[in-house]
Amino acid sequence: MLQVNDLHVTVEGKEILKGLTLTINAGEVHAIMGPNGAGKSTLSAVIAGKDGYEVTQGSITFEGKDVLEMEIEERAQAGLLLGFQYPVEIPGVKNIYLLKSALNAQRAARGEGEMPAPEFMKLVKEKLGFMKMDASFLQRAVNEGFSGGEKKRNEILQMLVLQPKLAMLDEIDSGLDIDAMKVVADGVNSLRAEERAILLVTHYQRLLDYIVPDKVHVLVDGRIVKTGDAELAKELEANGYEGIEESVA
Amino acid sequence: MASEEMEQLVRREYKDGFVTDIESDTLPPGLDENTIAFISKKKGEPEWMLEWRLDAYRQWLKMEEPSWAHLNYPPIDYQEISYFSAPKRPEDRPQSLDEVDPKLLETYEKLGIPLHERAALAGVAVDAVFDSVSVATTFKKELAEAGVIFCSISEAIRDYPDLIKQYLGTVVPVADNYFAALNSAVFTDGSFVFVPKGVKCPMELSTYFRINAANTGQFERTLIICEDRAEVSYLEGCTAPMRDENQLHAAVVELVALDDAYIKYSTVQNWYPGDEEGKGGIYNFVTKRGDCRGERSRISWTQVETGSAITWKYPSCVLRGKDSIGEFYSVAVTNGRQQADTGTKMIHIGEGTRSYIVAKGISAGKSDQSYRGLVKIGPRAKGARNFTQCDSLLIGDKCGAHTFPYQEIGNSTATIEHEATTSKIGEDQLFYCQSRGISEEDAVSMIVNGFCKDVFQELPMEFAVEAEALLNVTLEGAVG
């Protein structure tokens, strides 16, 4: 589904990713772990198309299409969706309006008409219930005055409504207490499906107790230095990243 | 049509041996007492009105054009302007929509302007009578039954001289400022509304119904009076970009609210802003003021300003009556080379008076925008309160936003709150929306409309929808 090949990325003249290669197939859950500054968030940002990241070498393809040639919104319309570590506030824009615009933009890209309002409301209310969110969330401005946990739940809510093919979650566990993390993890687990893949970017192993990945990659200094199964995460938890770095060197 | 072409046309006509003739329909450029006498006679005005105009003109001669605004434009030659012109002859106008700037037509399309109105807005010679003429007639009947007077200012001067004498120039005196004095001398068009005691006007009044057949005036004069407990909501302007061969516009609007009266005045201004270099755009110098003369009266200004090359406009409220309320809700958008210096004045005179100011400025392209607001609390205005919120949003890095708040507090019991923010439309906000599959253009409009929400919700429903569409069209291509 997603193929990242020998990816080199520079930010403000500094090389962050130095030849990253990664393959994600439909139905799989991947976790990328690594120390701070290893380039974890850079990877998902480049896939989503954020400005300021220069790809100097390598390629990213999604279902055979060259992702780097696509506009930001085209990537989302193709089914690539990024859940943010720090979702931004948009004053005056209701949450429900953003959800509806996003869903209908994606439907339009697929040649489908707008979802009828009653059907849309039913869908949103169901997902809202699943994320243990109050209906008043829909009428509030996007992320404005949301607590850290509310913001993260809101990101997952968008995933549940938009149903991407590849859900990328950037440090979705940061700043969450244990109850909120369970709700977020339940949301992510409900996205697991044969036709869908999930990419988790995380610093800590604890999230992976709730969302058990099929594959764990260790990212150090812009490269994936080790790949394993869920056990690898536990190993990391016990020995830290230093052990891995040493074994590579 | 560009202004140079206009000028050429005007000059050519002049060269062809145009003579000042009281029987003709158009005056050559120039302004003196004869010009004013001509206008007054054309309008069939009584002697006292002519005297009023001449008084204004003589005071104007002694005045100087203000230069304090944060605006930059070449000096205006007031002798180069024609102060009275009949509508262009049909053979001089475009003969069909095929001859009209396709960009303008595209805009009409996007704004959803009905086909039969597009031609008239673009200045095409059309014989077809508007559907709305019959609509207007029906309205007139309903208004008359309620006792509401709604007519052109010229008609009012002829038919209701006592009301005119009692109220005209009492809110904006003839020599209030340079442009108001000029307007008082040469105004040719405008509206008059009178709502008698205890009457709530049964419908929203719109200039659109009255003016669509005639050319909108270059020097408009509007007077609205609400007697005790009367109410009216008045809509001015049109979201469609209006072409006008007159580059200088200097309107005066006066509102008078007596005890417990409520006047809501909403404007959507979308005059031609000029081409990409700013050439040929309208200069809009407007004096709008409401007088809350009665106790517990309320005047509310809501404006959406997207057009004109130059905007100089400060709709204000004089809060004379005890416990009266003044409100100002504004969205001003500048793009391209547009310049706007706009805001409000709230003058608290009476006890317990309250005012609210919510001003949202959006600057894009190479435009420059200033908010200028005065809150003045007089010595007798015990317990007066003001709340001001003024936010600027910048799109791109070549535009400018400035805020000039003035406060003159003459009373220690007053409460004044001022909040101001300036923000740049966030790359992060755009990326967030786009990464959800929303196009950049839609994302910008979503963010900007969110920014303006507080003001849009003050607009009458139908206007609010149009205003959003207008904003989107105005800001098209502002990013990227």
Side-chain angles (χ1 to χ4, degrees):
Chain A
M1 181 182 262
L2 180 81
Q3 239 115 30
V4 180
N5 198 19
D6 190 29
L7 190 68
H8 291 252
V9 175
T10 312
V11 180
E12 289 171 356
K14 189 173 174 239
E15 190 166 59
I16 305 292
L17 295 184
K18 304 169 180 173
L20 186 146
T21 298
L22 174 71
T23 301
I24 299 176
N25 297 312
E28 295 176 348
V29 176
H30 289 234
I32 294 195
M33 302 184 71
N36 286 330
K40 299 190 301 288
S41 294
T42 300
L43 177 64
S44 52
V46 169
I47 296 173
K50 193 166 167 55
D51 226 18
Y53 296 79
E54 197 194 342
V55 175
T56 53
Q57 201 180 315
S59 66
I60 305 173
T61 54
F62 180 68
E63 295 190 317
K65 282 175 283 187
D66 182 354
V67 172
L68 297 174
E69 285 298 305
M70 295 158 87
E71 298 289 341
I72 303 164
E73 60 268 28
E74 289 170 352
R75 301 179 192 199
Q77 289 159 5
L80 284 163
L81 202 61
L82 172 64
F84 286 74
Q85 181 178 7
Y86 302 112
V88 68
E89 298 184 358
I90 311 176
V93 176
K94 282 183 188 173
N95 227 1
I96 181 125
Y97 186 66
L98 178 78
L99 273 174
K100 197 174 164 201
S101 304
L103 182 67
N104 284 328
Q106 299 199 5
R107 287 172 67 99
R110 292 195 296 263
E112 297 166 22
E114 286 196 2
M115 183 181 274
E119 199 183 319
F120 173 72
M121 283 315 295
K122 194 167 162 259
L123 171 75
V124 170
K125 289 221 161 118
E126 179 204 322
K127 304 299 186 192
L128 208 57
F130 193 84
M131 291 310 292
K132 299 192 166 49
M133 291 164 85
D134 193 79
S136 66
F137 264 91
L138 300 174
Q139 303 303 321
R140 289 167 66 183
V142 177
N143 293 318
E144 198 179 39
F146 284 25
S147 70
E150 287 172 338
K151 284 184 182 170
K152 295 295 169 68
R153 271 193 266 178
N154 201 34
E155 292 295 290
I156 306 299
L157 174 72
Q158 292 179 12
M159 297 267 171
L160 296 184
V161 171
L162 298 174
Q163 298 278 316
K165 288 178 184 162
L166 173 63
M168 300 182 285
L169 300 162
D170 187 12
E171 308 257 1
I172 200 71
D173 51 332
S174 70
L176 292 187
D177 63 31
I178 199 75
D179 293 331
M181 185 143 86
K182 278 182 188 162
V183 175
V184 164
D186 283 349
V188 175
N189 283 326
S190 80
L191 281 168
R192 283 177 181 255
E194 261 180 47
E195 70 284 0
R196 180 176 300 120
I198 297 170
L199 175 63
L200 303 166
V201 173
T202 182
H203 187 74
Y204 298 106
Q205 193 267 335
R206 62 170 193 168
L207 177 69
L208 307 184
D209 288 340
Y210 299 95
I211 310 169
V212 180
D214 300 302
K215 286 198 174 146
V216 172
H217 310 275
V218 182
L219 182 64
V220 176
D221 193 25
R223 281 189 206 91
I224 289 176
V225 295
K226 193 164 187 182
T227 295
D229 58 16
E231 285 306 309
L232 176 58
K234 298 207 166 102
E235 217 175 284
L236 282 172
E237 179 80 354
N239 304 328
Y241 292 109
E242 307 235 330
I244 298 280
E245 281 174 81
E246 275 161 29
S247 74
V248 171
Chain B
M1 197 182 287
S3 68
E4 300 103 278
E5 289 175 60
M6 278 306 156
E7 274 173 32
Q8 271 170 16
L9 258 182
V10 173
R11 289 214 184 95
R12 194 173 61 216
E13 247 178 303
Y14 198 25
K15 250 189 252 160
D16 288 347
F18 212 95
V19 282
T20 312
D21 175 359
I22 199 77
E23 296 307 318
S24 89
D25 272 344
T26 303
L27 275 179
L31 177 59
D32 58 22
E33 297 201 357
N34 289 327
T35 320
I36 292 160
F38 175 92
I39 293 169
S40 191
K41 183 157 190 199
K42 270 283 168 200
K43 294 279 166 188
E45 290 175 355
E47 186 63 26
W48 58 266
M49 196 62 225
L50 173 62
E51 284 308 319
W52 196 86
R53 287 177 180 274
L54 288 173
D55 173 45
Y57 173 67
R58 287 167 196 150
Q59 300 203 54
W60 178 73
L61 285 177
K62 290 182 242 157
M63 298 169 84
E64 272 186 41
E65 194 174 327
S67 58
W68 44 261
H70 192 81
L71 299 170
N72 187 9
Y73 56 94
I76 300 166
D77 185 343
Y78 293 89
Q79 297 302 332
E80 280 278 303
I81 294 165
S82 174
Y83 289 85
F84 190 91
S85 52
K88 269 184 134 186
R89 288 189 300 271
E91 56 268 33
D92 292 337
R93 302 213 224 158
Q95 294 304 302
S96 75
L97 281 174
D98 299 339
E99 296 175 34
V100 173
D101 181 1
K103 260 196 163 167
L104 195 63
L105 297 178
E106 209 179 289
T107 309
Y108 290 158
E109 174 93 42
K110 284 177 185 156
L111 286 171
I113 308 286
L115 267 177
H116 66 277
E117 290 176 17
R118 290 180 198 176
L121 287 165
V124 174
V126 277
D127 296 326
V129 178
F130 276 109
D131 297 346
S132 49
V133 169
S134 54
V135 175
T137 317
T138 321
F139 276 6
K140 282 220 151 157
K141 205 175 146 217
E142 205 181 326
L143 288 173
E145 278 166 14
V148 175
I149 302 169
F150 179 36
C151 62
S152 78
I153 194 87
S154 303
E155 278 176 76
I157 290 167
R158 289 193 300 269
D159 300 345
Y160 310 100
D162 294 342
L163 286 174
I164 295 290
K165 277 187 197 169
Q166 191 183 344
Y167 289 106
L168 189 73
T170 63
V171 184
V172 179
V174 288
D176 183 81
N177 67 68
Y178 190 79
F179 297 108
L182 179 64
N183 173 286
S184 301
V186 301
F187 73 85
T188 48
D189 206 337
S191 302
F192 176 75
V193 178
F194 178 80
V195 189
K197 261 184 197 169
V199 173
K200 192 175 171 202
C201 188
M203 69 194 67
E204 282 175 334
L205 299 181
S206 164
T207 42
Y208 188 66
F209 287 112
R210 197 180 58 69
I211 289 178
N212 61 12
N215 273 356
T216 310
Q218 180 179 11
F219 298 101
E220 272 192 274
R221 183 99 198 179
T222 296
L223 175 60
I224 299 176
I225 301 143
C226 269
E227 287 196 325
D228 296 354
R229 301 181 310 284
E231 280 183 27
V232 68
S233 169
Y234 187 88
L235 314 181
E236 170 201 47
C238 178
T239 50
M242 298 262 262
R243 301 302 300 265
D244 189 343
E245 40 258 43
N246 302 310
Q247 196 175 23
L248 174 68
H249 281 240
V252 171
V253 176
E254 296 179 281
L255 312 180
V256 179
L258 303 184
D259 287 356
D260 299 292
Y262 175 33
I263 301 175
K264 184 176 174 65
Y265 194 105
S266 311
T267 308
V268 171
Q269 184 269 114
N270 190 19
W271 294 107
Y272 185 54
D275 64 13
E276 273 157 33
E277 292 303 310
K279 280 194 185 131
I282 302 285
Y283 292 2
N284 197 25
F285 297 92
V286 186
T287 306
K288 287 183 166 175
R289 195 172 304 153
D291 191 353
C292 284
R293 216 165 272 186
E295 297 191 354
R296 296 167 305 278
S297 57
R298 177 176 168 205
I299 288 177
S300 177
W301 298 102
T302 305
Q303 61 170 19
V304 177
E305 298 277 323
T306 61
S308 297
I310 303 272
T311 301
W312 181 95
K313 184 180 175 189
Y314 317 91
S316 306
C317 294
V318 180
L319 303 167
R320 212 181 294 277
K322 190 166 173 273
D323 298 324
S324 59
I325 299 173
E327 293 162 301
F328 175 75
Y329 304 99
S330 168
V331 166
V333 187
T334 50
N335 198 355
R337 295 271 182 180
Q338 285 177 279
Q339 303 175 59
D341 192 305
T342 184
T344 184
K345 287 189 274 185
M346 292 291 173
I347 315 291
H348 293 253
I349 296 171
E351 244 178 70
T353 47
R354 281 172 286 164
S355 61
Y356 303 94
I357 298 170
V358 179
K360 305 271 181 179
I362 300 158
S363 325
K366 292 175 178 164
S367 68
D368 208 1
Q369 194 176 132
S370 305
Y371 168 82
R372 189 182 301 277
L374 168 68
V375 176
K376 186 172 180 172
I377 313 273
R380 288 189 291 119
K382 260 194 278 177
R385 277 183 286 162
N386 163 264
F387 173 78
T388 300
Q389 184 189 338
C390 121
D391 301 321
S392 308
L393 186 68
L394 303 171
I395 303 178
D397 53 11
K398 294 189 179 69
C399 53
H402 317 270
T403 306
F404 303 100
Y406 305 88
Q407 293 177 345
E408 295 174 24
I409 317 297
N411 193 309
S412 60
T413 60
T415 313
I416 309 283
E417 285 175 76
H418 185 99
E419 288 176 12
T421 65
T422 299
S423 50
K424 203 166 170 299
I425 194 159
E427 294 284 322
D428 288 346
Q429 291 175 333
L430 275 180
F431 178 59
Y432 190 81
C433 294
Q434 283 180 274
S435 73
R436 266 73 191 124
I438 299 165
S439 72
E440 185 176 45
E441 217 167 86
D442 289 348
V444 168
S445 95
M446 188 185 281
I447 295 165
V448 168
N449 278 304
F451 175 77
C452 299
K453 206 189 70 186
D454 299 350
V455 173
F456 283 173
Q457 66 194 15
E458 294 297 328
L459 285 170
M461 187 61 184
E462 215 178 288
F463 242 31
V465 175
E466 285 185 29
E468 282 192 27
L470 174 60
L471 215 62
N472 298 347
V473 172
T474 308
L475 290 173
E476 233 167 55
V479 178

XYZ file of all heavy atoms in Angstrom, chain A residues 150-201:
403
model
N -8.935 16.207 24.842
C -10.050 16.458 23.917
C -9.556 16.621 22.482
O -10.172 16.143 21.536
C -10.818 17.716 24.357
C -11.653 17.491 25.605
C -12.272 18.771 26.159
O -11.765 19.878 25.860
O -13.256 18.658 26.911
N -8.414 17.301 22.352
C -7.851 17.483 21.009
C -7.523 16.138 20.373
O -7.801 15.904 19.210
C -6.582 18.335 21.071
C -6.864 19.809 21.271
C -5.586 20.624 21.234
C -5.918 22.097 21.480
N -4.710 22.907 21.682
N -6.901 15.261 21.152
C -6.499 13.966 20.615
C -7.713 13.115 20.263
O -7.752 12.456 19.237
C -5.612 13.218 21.625
C -4.283 13.907 21.896
C -3.425 13.919 20.654
C -2.194 14.812 20.737
N -1.191 14.324 21.674
N -8.729 13.184 21.123
C -9.956 12.432 20.824
C -10.602 12.964 19.546
O -11.137 12.212 18.745
C -10.939 12.549 21.988
C -10.702 11.451 23.009
C -11.832 11.372 23.969
N -11.533 12.167 25.155
C -12.384 12.306 26.165
N -13.576 11.744 26.125
N -12.044 13.025 27.205
N -10.517 14.269 19.398
C -11.087 14.897 18.210
C -10.366 14.431 16.940
O -10.985 14.225 15.896
C -10.985 16.425 18.351
C -11.955 17.144 17.457
O -13.059 16.658 17.206
N -11.548 18.292 16.953
N -9.056 14.250 17.034
C -8.302 13.745 15.882
C -8.790 12.353 15.487
O -8.952 12.055 14.308
C -6.795 13.690 16.199
C -6.141 15.051 16.354
C -6.140 15.854 15.069
O -5.413 15.509 14.129
O -6.901 16.837 15.008
N -9.002 11.512 16.510
C -9.469 10.145 16.220
C -10.902 10.175 15.685
O -11.255 9.429 14.775
C -9.380 9.239 17.477
C -7.961 9.263 18.054
C -9.797 7.806 17.131
C -6.885 8.759 17.128
N -11.698 11.090 16.225
C -13.072 11.228 15.726
C -13.056 11.504 14.216
O -13.818 10.901 13.454
C -13.789 12.373 16.463
C -15.176 12.713 15.929
C -16.182 11.616 16.278
C -15.668 14.055 16.463
N -12.166 12.387 13.807
C -12.056 12.693 12.374
C -11.692 11.444 11.579
O -12.223 11.200 10.495
C -11.015 13.791 12.147
C -11.459 15.141 12.700
C -10.410 16.220 12.483
O -9.452 16.023 11.746
N -10.597 17.350 13.124
N -10.786 10.643 12.122
C -10.391 9.394 11.467
C -11.604 8.467 11.312
O -11.805 7.854 10.271
C -9.330 8.669 12.295
C -8.033 9.431 12.451
S -6.904 8.940 11.162
C -5.582 10.115 11.366
N -12.394 8.385 12.376
C -13.533 7.462 12.354
C -14.570 7.912 11.329
O -15.226 7.102 10.697
C -14.179 7.369 13.742
C -13.304 6.790 14.855
C -14.101 6.669 16.159
C -12.751 5.420 14.469
N -14.713 9.209 11.173
C -15.696 9.722 10.210
C -15.138 9.624 8.784
O -15.847 9.237 7.861
C -16.077 11.187 10.541
C -16.913 11.793 9.431
C -16.833 11.244 11.870
N -13.861 9.961 8.624
C -13.289 10.039 7.274
C -12.806 8.683 6.737
O -12.636 8.521 5.536
C -12.137 11.049 7.243
C -12.553 12.490 7.575
C -11.334 13.397 7.656
C -13.532 13.033 6.546
N -12.609 7.714 7.643
C -12.250 6.359 7.226
C -11.120 6.307 6.193
O -11.314 5.864 5.052
C -13.499 5.652 6.653
C -14.632 5.497 7.650
C -14.432 4.286 8.564
O -14.061 3.209 8.118
N -14.631 4.475 9.852
N -9.932 6.741 6.580
C -8.817 6.732 5.618
C -8.336 5.311 5.316
O -8.651 4.377 6.041
C -7.729 7.502 6.366
C -8.024 7.240 7.812
C -9.529 7.172 7.917
N -7.545 5.170 4.237
C -6.941 3.872 3.933
C -5.696 3.679 4.776
O -5.388 2.588 5.210
C -6.566 3.806 2.455
C -7.776 3.698 1.544
C -7.324 3.681 0.093
C -8.539 3.661 -0.830
N -8.159 4.077 -2.190
N -4.947 4.791 4.938
C -3.772 4.741 5.816
C -3.909 5.859 6.847
O -3.872 7.028 6.506
C -2.474 4.930 5.017
C -1.190 5.054 5.866
C -0.920 3.773 6.658
C 0.009 5.395 4.999
N -4.068 5.439 8.117
C -4.173 6.427 9.196
C -2.802 6.575 9.829
O -2.208 5.592 10.289
C -5.191 5.957 10.226
N -2.295 7.821 9.808
C -0.994 8.069 10.435
C -1.234 8.862 11.708
O -1.894 9.900 11.683
C -0.103 8.890 9.492
C 0.161 8.194 8.169
S 1.270 9.179 7.120
C 0.174 10.453 6.555
N -0.721 8.380 12.821
C -0.972 9.048 14.093
C 0.337 9.469 14.721
O 1.164 8.633 15.095
C -1.743 8.106 15.025
C -3.090 7.669 14.443
C -3.618 6.436 15.149
C -4.093 8.808 14.508
N 0.520 10.781 14.799
C 1.787 11.322 15.286
C 1.704 11.569 16.790
O 0.985 12.472 17.222
C 2.090 12.626 14.527
C 3.474 13.154 14.854
O 4.269 12.418 15.466
O 3.756 14.317 14.498
N 2.420 10.778 17.562
C 2.488 10.950 19.027
C 1.099 11.171 19.624
O 0.872 12.108 20.380
C 3.385 12.151 19.386
C 4.751 12.080 18.727
C 5.871 11.644 19.662
O 5.593 11.375 20.849
O 7.014 11.536 19.186
N 0.181 10.295 19.233
C -1.204 10.470 19.636
C -1.369 10.273 21.141
O -2.372 10.675 21.734
C -2.121 9.509 18.825
C -3.576 9.973 18.847
C -1.984 8.083 19.285
C -3.838 11.211 18.036
N -0.366 9.655 21.780
C -0.462 9.368 23.214
C 0.116 10.484 24.070
O -0.057 10.482 25.289
C 0.269 8.059 23.533
C 1.688 8.041 22.974
O 1.926 8.718 21.943
O 2.551 7.361 23.550
N 0.768 11.457 23.450
C 1.435 12.456 24.292
C 0.418 13.302 25.038
O -0.589 13.727 24.491
C 2.350 13.352 23.437
O 1.594 14.187 22.605
N 0.681 13.499 26.300
C -0.180 14.345 27.123
C -1.499 13.704 27.523
O -2.406 14.400 27.955
N -1.640 12.393 27.361
C -2.900 11.741 27.723
C -2.774 11.019 29.063
O -1.766 10.361 29.320
C -3.283 10.712 26.660
C -3.683 11.247 25.285
C -4.190 10.098 24.437
C -4.743 12.323 25.410
N -3.827 11.130 29.896
C -3.845 10.288 31.086
C -4.322 8.894 30.671
O -4.737 8.685 29.527
C -4.710 10.910 32.198
C -6.159 11.043 31.798
O -6.656 10.208 30.997
O -6.812 11.991 32.268
N -4.289 7.989 31.587
C -4.509 6.583 31.225
C -5.931 6.342 30.691
O -6.132 5.582 29.763
C -4.141 5.649 32.408
C -3.909 4.226 31.909
C -5.156 5.702 33.518
C -2.583 4.054 31.187
N -6.924 7.045 31.264
C -8.305 6.853 30.797
C -8.476 7.364 29.374
O -9.091 6.699 28.532
C -9.279 7.584 31.728
C -9.313 6.942 33.101
O -9.064 5.714 33.178
O -9.573 7.664 34.084
N -7.919 8.543 29.141
C -8.034 9.123 27.806
C -7.297 8.256 26.798
O -7.763 8.046 25.679
C -7.466 10.538 27.796
N -6.150 7.711 27.219
C -5.382 6.869 26.301
C -6.175 5.621 25.910
O -6.142 5.198 24.758
C -4.055 6.464 26.935
C -3.214 5.701 25.961
S -1.500 6.093 26.112
C -1.056 4.978 27.389
N -6.933 5.070 26.875
C -7.747 3.885 26.559
C -8.812 4.209 25.520
O -9.062 3.448 24.598
C -8.420 3.361 27.841
C -7.487 2.485 28.657
C -8.203 1.958 29.885
C -7.234 1.234 30.808
N -7.769 1.082 32.160
N -9.444 5.393 25.697
C -10.486 5.793 24.734
C -9.873 5.971 23.343
O -10.407 5.493 22.341
C -11.170 7.114 25.183
C -12.149 7.590 24.119
C -11.889 6.915 26.508
N -8.708 6.655 23.313
C -8.031 6.879 22.034
C -7.625 5.539 21.405
O -7.827 5.307 20.215
C -6.804 7.799 22.240
C -5.861 7.751 21.037
C -7.264 9.243 22.473
N -7.089 4.654 22.233
C -6.655 3.347 21.726
C -7.842 2.538 21.197
O -7.748 1.906 20.143
C -5.939 2.574 22.827
N -8.967 2.591 21.913
C -10.176 1.896 21.431
C -10.575 2.435 20.064
O -10.969 1.684 19.164
C -11.345 2.113 22.405
C -11.200 1.235 23.652
O -10.332 0.331 23.636
O -11.947 1.468 24.635
N -10.493 3.761 19.934
C -10.833 4.387 18.651
C -9.915 3.880 17.552
O -10.380 3.484 16.480
N -8.620 3.877 17.827
C -7.662 3.431 16.812
C -7.878 1.950 16.487
O -7.895 1.556 15.321
C -6.211 3.674 17.283
C -5.215 3.104 16.270
C -5.970 5.170 17.498
N -8.088 1.142 17.520
C -8.305 -0.293 17.277
C -9.549 -0.553 16.432
O -9.587 -1.506 15.663
C -8.390 -1.053 18.604
C -7.003 -1.258 19.212
O -6.015 -1.433 18.484
N -6.916 -1.209 20.542
N -10.541 0.306 16.594
C -11.765 0.113 15.804
C -11.511 0.408 14.327
O -12.306 0.055 13.472
C -12.902 1.002 16.337
O -12.759 2.329 15.869
N -10.411 1.072 14.045
C -10.068 1.352 12.642
C -9.392 0.158 11.970
O -9.281 0.103 10.743
C -9.112 2.550 12.571
C -9.695 3.958 12.713
C -8.568 4.961 12.919
C -10.527 4.348 11.509
N -8.918 -0.771 12.782
C -8.221 -1.930 12.197
C -9.157 -2.658 11.238
O -10.289 -2.994 11.582
C -7.833 -2.926 13.302
C -6.626 -2.510 14.127
C -6.415 -3.551 15.210
N -5.284 -3.212 16.064
C -4.106 -3.822 15.994
N -3.903 -4.813 15.132
N -3.123 -3.484 16.790
N -8.665 -2.875 10.029
C -9.466 -3.585 9.041
C -8.537 -4.130 7.967
O -7.410 -3.654 7.821
C -10.485 -2.637 8.410
N -9.017 -5.107 7.240
C -8.188 -5.752 6.219
C -7.717 -4.789 5.154
O -6.623 -4.906 4.626
C -9.004 -6.859 5.539
C -8.694 -8.243 6.085
C -9.536 -9.291 5.380
O -9.592 -9.245 4.130
O -10.150 -10.109 6.091
N -8.587 -3.841 4.833
C -8.254 -2.945 3.717
C -7.537 -1.682 4.196
O -7.239 -0.811 3.402
C -9.519 -2.581 2.927
C -10.519 -1.677 3.619
C -11.376 -2.388 4.693
O -11.187 -3.608 4.892
O -12.205 -1.718 5.317
N -7.272 -1.604 5.513
C -6.707 -0.367 6.040
C -5.388 -0.636 6.767
O -5.196 -1.695 7.360
C -7.703 0.267 7.019
C -7.208 1.583 7.637
C -8.260 2.225 8.508
N -9.451 2.531 7.729
C -10.654 2.050 7.979
N -10.848 1.226 8.982
N -11.659 2.366 7.215
N -4.506 0.365 6.711
C -3.261 0.254 7.458
C -3.161 1.410 8.445
O -3.793 2.448 8.249
C -2.077 0.273 6.513
N -2.389 1.186 9.507
C -2.227 2.226 10.518
C -0.743 2.400 10.797
O -0.010 1.414 10.927
C -2.979 1.849 11.825
C -4.488 1.758 11.544
C -2.695 2.881 12.933
C -5.286 1.172 12.682
N -0.309 3.649 10.854
C 1.083 3.943 11.174
C 1.121 4.800 12.429
O 0.619 5.922 12.450
C 1.738 4.693 10.000
C 3.171 5.190 10.211
C 4.128 4.014 10.434
C 3.635 5.995 9.004
N 1.697 4.228 13.492
C 1.801 4.956 14.758
C 3.210 5.496 14.919
O 4.179 4.776 14.708
C 1.517 4.020 15.941
C 0.192 3.279 15.966
C 0.262 2.158 17.005
C -0.936 4.237 16.291
N 3.309 6.749 15.257
C 4.616 7.308 15.584
C 4.594 7.592 17.079
O 3.707 8.305 17.560
C 4.867 8.617 14.810
C 6.153 9.283 15.296
C 4.951 8.340 13.316
